[in-house]
Amino acid sequence: MVPRVIFGRGSFNQLSEIISPKRLNVHAPFVFLVDDVFKGNAWLTSRIPLAYEDKVIYISSNEEPKTSQVDDLVEDIILTSRQGTSGIIGIGGGTILDLAKAVAIMLTNEGEAKDYQGWDLVKNPAIYHVGIPTISGTGAEVSRTTVLTGPEKKLGINSDFTPFDQVILDPELTKGVDTNQWFYTGMDCFIHCVESLNGSYLNEFSKSYGDMSFQLCKEIFLQDTLSEAESQDKLMMASWHGGMSIAYSQVGVAHAMSYGLSYLLGTKHGIGNCIVFDHLSEFYPEGVSLFKEMKKKYQIELPKGICAKLHDSEFDIMINIALGLEPLWENAIGKNWKKTITREKLKNLYLKM
Ligand code: NAD
Ligand code: ZN
């Protein structure tokens, strides 16, 4: 679990007082990894509390994080901070939060980020790291994974050292997100709940978080009674609870297949999940029907035919990635999932997308 979290509109202003006691020495900087969508946005950047040799690195989130990108950032930080690094502070969406977590881990662990993709492979605690989400839905702010695309696989660094030491939840930071992106990332949260609540790994712990998040999502995406601020506040909480729910259970079919799309076509997580989930009524009838209602309400047009021109070898790559995520299938279908989830079935589903 994340040991420290503060919540509230404007709580970003407390960053300085939160991190100051964690400074190792005046030559050990805090490194702020910031989504480059905020470059030139003084409302946010003027409040980043820079002191001594602290640095801001702006990063594009047009592509999902790669293991090689983590290695490059770590090398750069080590070369320019010769007396250590006081902490890594990620300010952005899931892309930047995952990068921040991975960089914090790789600053204290030998080798390359790709060596740690998997479960519980990290040996040494990460350096102090803080997560500040600016868009809500992924649950990356609370999870014990950092999802990375490596040379061979798209898989997280799942470990007890991955979660942030501190999270600042300031819903006001999400105010600039456009409707489509708000929907895609918000639906990531909704899909986390559906997959967790309908999975065989469910237990009372994950259920209570999942139920709460599911209700919040219905309120946010289907009712007209919330103000913009209330909707931002609630989606930030839904994201957190959805993340907690899957932390103690697992995701399912949409995530497994969306990882395939992402690996081959570079489709981003939020929109990729939406594209897949739209075709999963066989697995999640109630969830998919609610999803279609929400999609209609916000007039979201998802891309179509994205797999139409793929060759068999490309389908094989996507199917291998999807089927490789065995815990997701076991959660979704049960222990005997291999009897019903065939390569042919996945290919037919991909062909519909
Ligand atoms: P993102 O971080 O990729 O950002 C999406 C877009 O929104 C970007 O263009 C970004 O610049 C923009 N944006 C972010 N905040 C903004 C703001 N306040 N105003 C205007 N624009 C803003 O999107 P995401 O959906 O949050 O994250 C997706 C990533 O999260 C994927 O890489 C996925 O693998 C990862 N993920 C991780 C976990 C986890 O548990 N670690 C879970 C789910 C997803
Ligand atoms: Zn997700």
Side-chain angles (χ1 to χ4, degrees):
M1 282 193 192
V2 172
R4 282 168 179 266
V5 55
I6 63 167
F7 173 88
R9 303 181 78 78
S11 58
F12 184 51
N13 291 342
Q14 285 172 253
L15 183 56
S16 175
E17 80 187 76
I18 287 170
I19 63 175
S20 298
K22 302 288 179 184
R23 189 180 291 282
L24 301 176
N25 64 68
V26 294
H27 298 298
F30 282 108
V31 178
F32 297 84
L33 304 183
V34 183
D35 190 311
D36 72 359
V37 77
F38 295 113
K39 212 172 185 173
N41 178 335
W43 176 75
L44 186 135
T45 56
S46 65
R47 294 191 284 156
I48 297 176
L50 294 174
Y52 305 107
E53 294 166 20
D54 294 348
K55 17 180 191 241
V56 174
I57 303 178
Y58 286 104
I59 299 175
S60 160
S61 53
N62 288 342
E63 288 185 3
E64 298 198 336
K66 296 189 178 57
T67 53
S68 57
Q69 187 183 8
V70 173
D71 297 333
D72 290 347
L73 279 165
V74 168
E75 193 179 326
D76 187 39
I77 291 168
I78 290 174
L79 286 176
T80 54
S81 344
R82 260 166 264 161
Q83 294 197 30
T85 309
S86 292
I88 303 291
I89 290 116
I91 305 177
T95 301
I96 304 297
L97 297 181
D98 275 359
L99 274 171
K101 291 197 269 188
V103 167
I105 290 170
M106 292 312 299
L107 279 166
T108 53
N109 285 277
E110 284 181 0
E112 297 171 64
K114 70 174 169 56
D115 306 334
Y116 297 93
Q117 284 180 284
W119 279 270
D120 302 305
L121 303 171
V122 180
K123 294 183 183 61
N124 304 315
I127 70 162
Y128 178 70
H129 50 306
V130 180
I132 308 177
T134 63
I135 178 170
S136 301
T138 64
E141 66 279 13
V142 71
S143 71
R144 82 189 278 282
T145 188
T146 156
V147 185
L148 303 174
T149 303
E152 281 152 31
K153 52 197 168 197
K154 180 176 174 183
L155 185 62
I157 300 180
N158 299 263
S159 84
D160 285 343
F161 302 124
T162 309
F164 287 110
D165 298 298
Q166 167 84 54
V167 169
I168 296 179
L169 296 178
D170 181 348
E172 206 180 17
L173 300 182
T174 66
K175 68 180 185 185
V177 178
D178 72 53
T179 305
N180 280 328
Q181 190 61 55
W182 166 79
F183 186 84
Y184 300 146
T185 301
M187 283 302 108
D188 189 23
C189 172
F190 178 70
I191 296 168
H192 290 159
C193 298
V194 173
E195 294 187 322
S196 170
L197 292 172
N198 291 285
S200 62
Y201 288 9
L202 190 68
N203 53 68
E204 284 306 319
F205 196 90
S206 52
K207 185 171 183 305
S208 58
Y209 281 107
D211 279 339
M212 175 62 75
S213 180
F214 189 74
Q215 291 309 326
L216 285 167
C217 285
K218 285 204 288 191
E219 216 180 312
I220 297 156
F221 291 100
L222 287 173
Q223 289 179 13
D224 290 314
T225 48
L226 300 180
S227 70
E228 206 177 328
E230 282 170 333
S231 168
Q232 291 163 358
D233 291 6
K234 283 178 190 276
L235 189 51
M236 201 159 254
M237 287 326 294
S239 174
W240 181 276
H241 284 73
M244 284 298 286
S245 183
I246 46 172
Y248 290 89
S249 60
Q250 187 48 280
V251 284
V253 181
H255 276 76
M257 295 195 69
S258 152
Y259 273 32
L261 288 181
S262 153
Y263 189 83
L264 183 78
L265 305 173
T267 314
K268 293 200 69 185
H269 188 75
I271 190 170
N273 280 351
C274 289
I275 293 171
V276 177
F277 196 64
D278 212 17
H279 298 281
L280 298 186
S281 46
E282 159 188 5
F283 302 100
Y284 306 112
E286 188 205 347
V288 174
S289 135
L290 284 171
F291 171 79
K292 287 188 189 289
E293 227 178 291
M294 295 167 179
K295 201 177 67 161
K296 193 165 163 211
K297 184 169 163 65
Y298 290 98
Q299 298 173 334
I300 304 293
E301 292 288 337
L302 293 174
K304 288 196 175 78
I306 60 169
C307 300
K309 291 189 179 141
L310 297 181
H311 298 291
D312 278 347
S313 60
E314 291 172 310
F315 279 108
D316 279 340
I317 293 172
M318 288 199 298
I319 293 169
N320 289 343
I321 292 282
L323 290 180
L325 294 157
E326 298 208 354
L328 281 63
W329 292 104
E330 189 178 291
N331 176 45
I333 315 289
K335 283 219 179 314
N336 294 326
W337 64 274
K338 285 182 183 159
K339 286 190 180 148
T340 47
I341 303 302
T342 59
R343 301 185 73 85
E344 197 58 28
K345 184 169 185 75
L346 293 199
K347 185 174 174 188
N348 285 334
L349 276 168
Y350 276 128
L351 274 169
K352 287 190 195 166
M353 292 170 196

